[in-house]
């Protein structure tokens, strides 16, 4: 397929191309977010896809959405490989460090509307953490095939592999994801009740009530960014004590949706202190993923 520049001398053609691209943008943003775990990087990948579209002759492309999805896949693969080679983003819990993906927060009136689009078909933070442990090729194969139904032939073109090899990659990634993703309740009403009870107990300093809500082997992961040590806490007593201590610093905590599931955003002096995501199984909290990195929180557009 040859390359050309945007048809600037043909405004009607350019307008039609832009309209078709905008129709695909939500899907492309979802693909990139699942690949990269970063809202800003996902947006950059989508913008790069638009630029590549302008340099390509797509007059004979029958399915522009599929074509753009593979383009975004290639862009994300390059970013994932670059990230791995720089080792700037350690794998979750590697060397005691925790790296959580950007949360998609819904339910605050000031939220950027483009983020709301991601919530409709969102992937939980716990699953996103597991995706971070896959190799770049495994992540691309799994996300494109299992989450977006891209045929293996198309993914093979992205990865520069055979379709059979790509199928094996996706299968291996699927086994790893299924083996590492924690079991979770699906009833949002029940999950909301558990989160509300947790929030009330933490605010009231009710340690015993928190113990009843937390599974004995609950795991809490906190990502404070580069300047604040990451924290892993295991066990109901340790997690409950930390919840009570942290609640004292948060002047306001709001129940929201984090990646489509009930969660909490805490504020102090109008600025966000944390975004908390919960994994709940059999009515008890088995996992907490907490983003406290002030730099990343500032990019999410959260206000009290």
């Amino acid at each position: 397929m040859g390359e050309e520049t945007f048809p600037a001398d043909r405004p009607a053609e350019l307008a039609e191309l832009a309209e078709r691209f905008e129709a695909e943008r939500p899907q492309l943003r979802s693909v990139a977010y699942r690949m990269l775990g970063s809202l800003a990087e996902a947006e950059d990948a989508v913008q790069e896809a638009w630029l590549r579209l302008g340099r390509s002759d797509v007059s004979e492309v029958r399915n522009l959405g599929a074509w753009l999805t593979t383009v975004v896949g290639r862009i994300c693969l390059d970013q994932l490989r670059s990230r791995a080679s720089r080792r700037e983003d350690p794998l979750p819990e590697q060397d005691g460090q925790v790296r959580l993906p950007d949360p998609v927060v819904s339910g605050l009136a000031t939220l950027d509307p483009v983020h709301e689009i991601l919530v409709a078909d969102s992937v939980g933070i716990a699953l996103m953490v597991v995706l971070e442990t896959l190799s770049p090729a495994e992540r691309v194969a799994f996300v494109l095939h299992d989450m977006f139904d891209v045929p293996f032939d198309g993914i093979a073109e992205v990865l520069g592999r055979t379709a059979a090899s790509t199928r094996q990659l996706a299968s291996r990634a699927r086994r790893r994801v299924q083996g590492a993703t924690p079991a979770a309740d699906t009833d949002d009403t029940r999950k909301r009740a558990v989160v509300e009870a947790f929030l009330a107990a933490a605010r009231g300093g009710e340690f015993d009530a928190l113990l009843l809500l937390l599974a004995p082997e609950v795991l809490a992961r906190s990502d404070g960014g580069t300047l604040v040590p990451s924290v892993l806490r295991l066990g109901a007593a340790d997690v409950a004590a930390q919840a009570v201590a942290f609640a004292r610093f948060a002047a306001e905590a709001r129940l929201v949706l984090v990646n489509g599931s009930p969660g909490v955003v805490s504020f102090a002096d109008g600025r966000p202190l944390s975004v908390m995501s919960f994994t709940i199984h059999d009515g008890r909290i088995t996992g907490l993923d907490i983003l406290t990195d002030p730099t990343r929180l500032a990019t999410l557009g959260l206000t009290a």
Side-chain angles (χ1 to χ4, degrees), residues 264-282:
V264 172
V265 175
S266 296
F267 297 91
D269 298 325
R271 62 181 180 85
L273 285 181
S274 69
V275 175
M276 188 179 302
S277 172
F278 296 77
T279 300
I280 299 170
H281 182 55
D282 287 339

Side-chain angles (χ1 to χ4, degrees), residues 88-102:
E88 291 179 356
D89 295 299
L91 294 176
E93 301 172 35
Q94 177 180 318
D95 299 327
Q97 296 297 307
V98 178
R99 170 69 180 183
L100 297 178
D102 287 347

Side-chain angles (χ1 to χ4, degrees), residues 36 72-82 136-137 140 158-159:
L36 301 171
V72 168
R74 291 190 187 97
I75 295 168
C76 291
L77 178 63
D78 290 342
Q79 291 197 38
L80 289 170
R81 285 173 172 168
S82 176
V140 169
V158 174
L159 297 177

